[in-house]
C-alpha cells in the first residue's frame, strides 16, 4: 500500500470560492443529494408519526400502571420530535426543504399511527415496540446505504438509531418479555 496522499489546497480553495452558494455541499459529496433529502424527509415523517402515536398513548393511557407507562411514552415522544427536527435541519443544510406536510405524513412514514383502547397498555406498548423495531431496521439500512459517502448524515442517523434502540429496550422492560 502506498502513501501518496496529496491534498491540492489551491484547487479546493478555488472551488470553494466559485461555489459559495452551494453551502456545505461540495463536489466531494458522494451521493445524489436529492435522494438523500427524500430519504431524510421520509425519516421526518416517520419521526413525526412516532411523536404523534407516543403523545396520544401518553395522554390516553389509563389503568393501574398508567403513570409509569405514560411517563415513558412522554419521554419517547419528546425524543422522537427532536429526531424529526434534527433530520429537518440536515435537509436544510443539504439545500432541501423539510417536508412536514400533514397530508402526506402517514403515507411517507415507515410506521403506523395506532389508537388502542385507553385501558390496553399492553397493546400500546406492543405497537410502540413494533414501530421501534421497524425504525431500527429501516435506519440500519439507510446507514449502510450512506456508508462513507455522507458521513454527516450517517452520524446523524447513527445517533437517532442509538436512541431508537434505547426506546425498544425500555419498552421490552415495560412489557416484561
Amino acid at each position: 500500500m502506498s502513501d501518496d496522499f496529496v491534498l491540492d489546497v489551491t484547487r479546493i480553495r478555488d472551488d470553494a470560492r466559485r461555489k459559495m452558494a452551494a453551502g456545505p455541499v461540495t463536489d466531494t459529496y458522494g451521493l445524489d443529494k436529492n435522494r438523500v433529502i427524500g430519504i431524510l424527509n421520509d425519516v421526518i415523517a416517520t419521526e413525526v408519526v412516532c411523536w404523534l402515536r407516543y403523545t396520544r398513548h401518553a395522554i390516553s393511557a389509563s389503568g393501574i400502571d398508567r403513570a409509569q407507562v405514560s411517563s415513558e411514552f412522554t419521554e419517547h415522544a419528546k425524543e422522537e420530535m427532536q429526531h424529526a427536527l434534527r433530520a429537518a435541519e440536515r435537509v436544510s443544510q443539504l439545500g432541501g426543504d423539510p417536508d412536514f406536510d400533514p397530508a402526506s405524513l402517514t403515507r411517507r412514514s415507515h410506521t403506523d399511527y395506532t389508537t388502542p383502547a385507553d385501558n390496553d397498555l399492553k397493546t400500546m406498548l406492543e405497537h410502540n415496540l413494533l414501530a421501534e423495531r421497524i425504525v431500527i431496521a429501516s435506519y440500519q439500512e439507510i446507514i449502510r446505504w450512506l456508508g462513507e459517502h455522507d458521513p454527516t448524515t450517517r452520524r446523524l442517523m447513527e445517533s437517532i438509531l442509538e436512541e431508537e434502540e434505547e426506546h425498544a429496550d425500555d419498552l421490552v422492560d415495560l412489557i416484561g418479555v
Side-chain angles (χ1 to χ4, degrees):
M1 180 180 282
S2 69
D3 187 13
D4 33 328
F5 175 75
V6 177
L7 187 62
D8 186 349
V9 176
T10 302
R11 181 193 50 80
I12 291 171
R13 287 177 181 169
D14 290 343
D15 285 349
R17 283 185 189 95
R18 276 193 311 276
K19 299 174 183 173
M20 297 273 287
V25 180
T26 65
D27 290 342
T28 59
Y29 186 77
L31 293 170
D32 175 353
K33 179 181 72 158
N34 291 324
R35 180 73 179 122
V36 174
I37 289 168
I39 289 168
L40 286 172
N41 272 321
D42 290 350
V43 168
I44 292 168
T46 301
E47 295 296 332
V48 169
V49 168
C50 288
W51 170 76
L52 289 167
R53 186 185 54 258
Y54 271 125
T55 300
R56 197 274 187 189
H57 292 178
I59 292 168
S60 65
S62 66
I64 194 163
D65 295 319
R66 179 210 183 280
Q68 181 182 11
V69 172
S70 181
S71 175
E72 197 67 39
F73 288 166
T74 299
E75 178 184 327
H76 290 192
K78 288 177 187 174
E79 291 171 353
E80 302 295 356
M81 184 49 67
Q82 283 305 307
H83 297 165
L85 294 173
R86 290 170 58 205
E89 180 61 33
R90 184 61 181 154
V91 166
S92 182
Q93 287 173 351
L94 292 172
D97 294 317
D99 188 351
F100 286 93
D101 183 358
S104 67
L105 284 175
T106 56
R107 178 180 45 79
R108 293 183 296 117
S109 175
H110 302 175
T111 63
D112 295 322
Y113 178 83
T114 62
T115 57
D118 294 353
N119 64 347
D120 195 350
L121 298 181
K122 185 171 191 278
T123 298
M124 287 181 191
L125 288 163
E126 289 171 346
H127 285 192
N128 285 300
L129 177 56
L130 175 62
E132 294 294 354
R133 290 180 49 79
I134 291 166
V135 165
I136 289 166
S138 62
Y139 290 5
Q140 286 171 340
E141 288 189 28
I142 292 168
I143 290 164
R144 280 191 286 277
W145 177 75
L146 290 166
E148 297 301 318
H149 304 293
D150 181 347
T152 303
T153 304
R154 187 193 70 240
R155 285 191 312 272
L156 166 69
M157 292 304 300
E158 288 171 343
S159 171
I160 293 171
L161 174 62
E162 181 180 359
E163 288 187 2
E164 302 296 6
E165 289 173 344
E166 290 173 12
H167 293 175
D169 190 51
D170 293 342
L171 295 168
V172 166
D173 289 345
L174 287 169
I175 293 171
V177 292

